[in-house]
């Protein structure tokens, strides 16, 4: 048992020494190679087109997120900014759609619109044009607009009638505000009637505001955050590119060094050399 351990230990030491020798023989390659690759990748990253993102936050219905990606919003935006550049309508529309991201907050339900561009100014200008087209598209037209205008007129009429009736009841209260007087005058139901009129006024006011909002559509009043002017590019991430390239190159060079060392060792061993020769013949690598 002891003899076996003594024989095994020298083999382990020799294998470790072989690895260290291989690393020492290729230390310059393993250090300078990854560094050169990382610096090259960093230089290329500076040449690559940059991307900036402008962010706007809007208090709107979730359906607005779908409206933004429709042709009725994208096409006017493309036209107003001159983004077609001789391309087809579908290509220009898709190119703009790819630059837009929307997200709805889980708790606050706010709509976040992120628009990318090659410059900070382009990203912000595109976001503003996109919002303007969305506002215009959110306003009703045709039969829908006519129907809403009719509803608005009717709601305003109900509001005026309810307010007038309420003022009349209030005038009665002014003349006989004591409960005994109300009972004597036979108008004991007036407090209940007045409460009902107040509810009717409140409902009419709510309806008027609702229809008004539908007719007006989305406006800047719903903006929680106007499109920002970004200061830093979101891509390419130069540092990550350089570090990732350095690490990947170092790993590949280390793997190649050990493979080459293993092949050389195999060539020195007759049995391994015969196997390698068989592999080369099978792959026609003579």
């Amino acid at each position: 048992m002891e003899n076996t351990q003594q024989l095994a230990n020298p083999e382990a030491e020799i294998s470790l020494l072989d690895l260290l020798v291989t690393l020492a023989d290729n230390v310059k390659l393993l250090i300078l190679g990854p560094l050169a690759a990382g610096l090259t990748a960093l230089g290329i990253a500076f040449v690559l087109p940059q991307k900036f993102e402008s962010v706007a936050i809007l208090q709107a219905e979730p359906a607005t997120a779908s409206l933004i990606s429709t042709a009725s919003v994208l096409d006017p935006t493309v036209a107003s900014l001159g983004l077609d550049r001789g391309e087809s309508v579908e290509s220009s529309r898709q190119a703009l759609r790819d630059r837009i991201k929307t997200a709805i907050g889980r708790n606050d339900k706010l709509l976040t619109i992120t628009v990318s561009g090659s410059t900070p100014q382009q990203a912000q200008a595109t976001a503003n044009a996109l919002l303007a087209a969305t506002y215009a598209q959110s306003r009703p037209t045709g039969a829908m607009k006519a129907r809403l205008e009719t509803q608005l007129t009717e709601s305003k009429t109900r509001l005026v009638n309810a307010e007038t009736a309420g003022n009349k009841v209030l005038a009665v209260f002014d003349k006989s505000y004591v409960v005994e007087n109300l009972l004597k005058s036979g108008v004991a139901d007036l407090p209940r009637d007045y409460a009902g009129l107040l509810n009717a006024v409140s409902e009419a006011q709510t309806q008027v505001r609702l229809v008004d909002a539908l007719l007006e559509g989305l406006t800047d009043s719903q903006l929680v955050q106007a499109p920002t002017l970004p200061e830093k590019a979101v891509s390419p991430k130069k540092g990550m590119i350089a570090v990732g390239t350095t690490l990947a190159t170092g790993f590949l060079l280390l793997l190649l060094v050990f493979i080459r060392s293993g092949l050389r060792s195999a060539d020195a061993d007759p049995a391994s050399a015969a196997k390698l020769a068989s592999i080369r013949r099978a792959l026609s690598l003579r």
Side-chain angles (χ1 to χ4, degrees), residues 10-271:
E11 290 179 359
E13 292 176 0
I14 291 172
S15 298
L16 180 59
L17 287 174
D18 288 341
L19 294 177
L20 293 175
V21 169
T22 301
L23 291 176
D25 289 341
N26 298 276
V27 64
K28 290 184 179 180
L29 175 65
L30 294 175
I31 293 177
L32 298 180
L35 286 178
L39 291 175
T40 302
L42 183 61
I44 294 174
F46 276 100
V47 179
L48 292 175
Q50 292 184 309
K51 184 173 77 171
F52 298 85
E53 289 184 344
S54 177
V55 180
I57 301 177
L58 190 65
Q59 191 174 19
E61 295 296 326
T64 306
S66 300
L67 176 64
I68 290 174
S69 62
T70 61
S72 57
V73 171
L74 296 176
D75 290 352
T77 304
V78 170
S80 64
L81 297 175
L83 299 177
D84 48 357
R85 297 177 182 178
E87 298 179 354
S88 66
V89 175
E90 181 61 33
S91 298
S92 301
R93 183 189 304 151
Q94 187 58 46
L96 177 58
R97 185 181 287 119
D98 293 339
R99 292 169 49 195
I100 301 169
K101 294 184 294 185
T102 58
I104 300 175
R106 180 177 301 177
N107 298 324
D108 54 25
K109 303 302 180 183
L110 295 177
L111 174 61
T112 300
I113 306 168
T114 304
V115 182
S116 62
S118 57
T119 65
Q121 293 76 17
Q122 185 194 52
Q124 187 183 50
T126 305
N128 281 321
L130 189 71
L131 284 176
T134 303
Y135 294 164
Q137 190 61 31
S138 68
R139 301 186 187 104
T141 58
M144 175 62 73
K145 182 179 180 180
R147 184 162 57 252
L148 288 174
E149 288 175 344
T150 301
Q151 290 181 7
L152 181 61
T153 301
E154 293 174 352
S155 298
K156 287 182 176 180
T157 301
R158 285 195 295 270
L159 176 60
V160 171
N161 293 337
E163 288 177 342
T164 302
N167 291 333
K168 291 181 179 179
V169 173
L170 189 60
V172 174
F173 279 154
D174 291 338
K175 294 179 180 178
S176 53
Y177 57 88
V178 180
V179 175
E180 292 181 1
N181 294 336
L182 291 175
L183 293 174
K184 292 177 181 179
S185 59
V187 289
D189 290 335
L190 281 179
R192 189 185 312 113
D193 294 339
Y194 185 64
L197 288 172
L198 288 179
N199 289 334
V201 170
S202 178
E203 291 176 0
Q205 289 175 339
T206 301
Q207 185 66 17
V208 168
R209 285 195 296 268
L210 177 61
V211 178
D212 258 336
L214 291 174
L215 282 170
E216 187 180 23
L218 293 173
T219 63
D220 282 338
S221 61
Q222 278 85 37
L223 267 182
V224 178
Q225 175 181 290
T228 58
L229 182 65
E231 296 181 356
K232 295 182 180 180
V234 296
S235 67
K237 298 184 182 299
K238 302 177 183 67
M240 292 184 61
I241 291 175
V243 172
T245 303
T246 300
L247 294 176
T249 304
F251 176 78
L252 288 175
L253 288 177
L254 186 64
L255 185 61
L256 290 174
V257 163
F258 283 130
I259 290 175
R260 186 177 62 177
S261 176
L263 291 175
R264 288 177 178 176
S265 299
D267 285 334
D269 182 16

